[in-house]
Amino acid sequence: MPDETIDTLVIGGGQAGLTMSHRLKQRGITHLVLERRRIAERWRSERWDGLMFQFPNWSVRLPEFPFSHSEPDGFSPTSDIIEFIEGYAAFVAPPIRCGVEVRKLRRDQGAGFVAETGDGRIAARNVVVATGPYQRPLRPELLRDHENLFQVHASGYKNPAQLPGGAVLVIGAGASGAQIAEELLRAGRRVFLSVGRHNRLPRRYRGRDLFWWLAEMGIDQTPVEQRGPSRLLPVISGAYGGNTIDFRRFAAEGVTLLGRATAARDGVIEIAPDLVTSVSNGDAFYATFLGMVDDFIGTRGLACPDDAAARARLPDPPSLTAALRTLDLRAEGIGAVIWATGYGLDLGWIDIPVLDARGEPRHRHGISEVPGLYFLGLQWLSRMKSSFLSGVGDDAAVLADHIVTRL
């Protein structure tokens, strides 16, 4: 028999779980939030010291709770975001228990669902899984035999002083990889950056931040049904005041660009001949977006200044025109490798047939095919902005309304 029974159980105490609690409280629904560690744990333990949030301060908000700042167009350090989420938790005052991990979630014909935890079993008619999209660091096995080489995933990287001496190889040029590579370069380290497929976007264009344009043009409201086949996140940064990521600029400042790392043997990494294609495709994505903004400005008759600098293009660096096909770690003095290779979901504890072959939940806008089981906080849950701080509240409201109809 369950040790406890509740109407609705929310699993996860980050911004998604807190927002879900907020929406449930607004509707008078009895619920409980379980967090396996601390509120906003991943913000605390899986971010590097110098990370700056990618969203401008003016765009940061949670339902009925604005972000306090003195510089609207500035970007905030992780510590400020943690403080903001903590403040939101105090505002919501959720019924939350920290340090309680759900080890298994299963169906129960009598109670609906049973969550098995280290503190006992909790029965619930409804369950909202709000554990976020960044659960399991993905690290390829490429250098698994190189035990003497310092290797760390971006989730475990803290600062340049953490690394041994010598050059650094950063594998992965998404938002995290690009920011870490720039940080290392500014710290005086010699940096190699392995660049794969990516979608590059401007930090600012024609006087406005990227996210202003996404909102003004309604792009951030794009429904998941209209999402294209690409699953790539945009390469953007809030570091150093917020600059557009330009890999040619990186190279001009000293970064050696590489294609994808495909194999390794005896300290020598084989590099795919795809660097030119990856950079060209990133440039095309960037140029397409600029064209969309230009067309929008023209159609609406907006008074926005020209921005010729955004279309300026640096010369192709030698690492692009004569790309390396192999990288000898010892010969290049590489003492550390940082894997900026993203994250995957880790939902194996859900003992319910609701996951697909890739381990991703089957749902429509967060409502699963199993009555009473919901998901919140995932990328593109219902629309582009679903995983934004400013977007998760809308999805939470929809789920809360759906739960009301069940209760």
Side-chain angles (χ1 to χ4, degrees):
M1 295 291 295
D3 301 294
E4 188 176 355
T5 301
I6 195 76
D7 281 342
T8 299
L9 180 65
V10 179
I11 302 175
Q15 60 260 28
L18 295 173
T19 303
M20 192 70 232
S21 178
H22 189 177
R23 296 308 195 195
L24 292 171
K25 289 185 72 173
Q26 289 176 326
R27 289 155 179 79
I29 299 174
T30 304
H31 65 283
L32 174 66
V33 182
L34 297 182
E35 165 55 44
R36 65 176 181 171
R37 297 175 74 180
R38 298 171 293 177
I39 289 174
E41 178 60 38
R42 288 193 170 91
W43 283 101
R44 301 174 190 274
S45 59
E46 298 183 15
R47 305 292 186 267
W48 68 94
D49 299 344
L51 172 65
M52 302 296 287
F53 197 34
Q54 300 170 3
F55 289 70
N57 291 333
W58 61 261
S59 71
V60 179
R61 59 186 178 276
L62 285 165
E64 288 87 55
F65 195 76
F67 179 55
S68 178
H69 57 78
S70 59
E71 189 179 355
D73 290 320
F75 300 88
S76 292
T78 300
S79 57
D80 286 357
I81 302 301
I82 294 172
E83 184 178 345
F84 172 62
I85 295 174
E86 288 178 331
Y88 181 64
F91 168 72
V92 174
I96 188 170
R97 295 176 191 168
C98 293
V100 180
E101 180 178 6
V102 176
R103 298 172 179 173
K104 179 181 289 188
L105 179 68
R106 57 180 174 84
R107 297 190 73 173
D108 181 90
Q109 291 185 348
F113 303 93
V114 171
E116 299 180 4
T117 79
D119 291 352
R121 292 171 294 180
I122 301 174
R125 292 182 61 187
N126 304 286
V127 174
V128 182
V129 178
T131 50
Y134 305 118
Q135 300 169 10
R136 178 171 53 90
L138 298 177
R139 176 173 159 178
E141 297 295 314
L142 185 72
L143 294 172
R144 64 182 179 277
D145 296 330
H146 295 65
E147 297 179 355
N148 296 326
L149 177 66
F150 182 93
Q151 301 181 57
V152 64
H153 188 270
S155 62
Y157 168 75
K158 296 304 178 185
N159 54 62
Q162 171 194 14
L163 309 180
V168 183
L169 169 61
V170 180
I171 298 181
S176 294
Q179 290 183 56
I180 291 172
E182 186 168 17
E183 177 176 281
L184 292 168
L185 185 68
R186 288 175 176 244
R189 305 300 286 266
R190 186 178 178 215
V191 179
F192 293 80
L193 178 61
S194 175
V195 179
R197 293 187 305 117
H198 61 275
N199 290 337
R200 194 167 69 87
L201 287 172
R203 176 71 273 174
R204 294 177 65 84
Y205 183 55
R206 299 188 69 169
R208 295 288 186 175
D209 186 85
L210 166 67
F211 285 98
W212 190 91
W213 289 116
L214 292 179
E216 190 71 11
M217 297 166 66
I219 295 175
D220 64 353
Q221 297 288 349
T222 302
V224 64
E225 291 81 6
Q226 296 178 19
R227 182 185 188 182
S230 175
R231 293 295 183 266
L232 298 174
L233 297 176
V235 183
I236 55 177
S237 171
Y240 312 111
N243 297 309
T244 296
I245 297 296
D246 182 345
F247 294 119
R248 289 182 178 82
R249 174 177 64 82
F250 277 25
E253 294 174 353
V255 174
T256 299
L257 303 179
L258 307 168
R260 287 181 304 109
T262 59
R265 182 178 180 182
D266 297 331
V268 178
I269 298 178
E270 295 181 13
I271 307 297
D274 60 355
L275 179 59
V276 171
T277 300
S278 294
V279 172
S280 296
N281 289 342
D283 290 343
F285 191 89
Y286 174 89
T288 297
F289 181 80
L290 298 189
M292 291 172 60
V293 174
D294 290 341
D295 291 343
F296 181 79
I297 290 173
T299 300
R300 294 294 182 90
L302 302 179
C304 297
D306 291 335
D307 193 352
R311 294 184 179 276
R313 182 164 162 172
L314 294 171
D316 287 345
S319 59
L320 190 62
T321 57
L324 296 175
R325 292 300 308 278
T326 61
L327 180 68
D328 188 321
L329 300 175
R330 186 177 297 105
E332 297 292 351
I334 294 173
V337 175
I338 297 175
W339 295 94
T341 40
Y343 297 80
L345 296 176
D346 185 11
L347 299 173
W349 49 272
I350 300 179
D351 190 19
I352 300 169
V354 72
L355 305 180
D356 62 20
R358 296 180 297 179
E360 298 180 359
R362 294 188 296 269
H363 66 88
R364 186 179 186 278
H365 299 179
I367 303 170
S368 84
E369 57 193 25
V370 177
L373 181 59
Y374 304 88
F375 294 88
L376 180 66
L378 300 177
Q379 293 167 357
W380 285 90
L381 188 85
S382 68
R383 55 181 59 86
M384 176 189 280
K385 69 180 299 184
S386 286
S387 59
F388 297 1
L389 282 177
S390 61
V392 67
D394 294 338
D395 285 334
V398 171
L399 298 189
D401 286 340
H402 197 274
I403 290 172
V404 167
T405 65
R406 282 181 44 80
L407 296 177

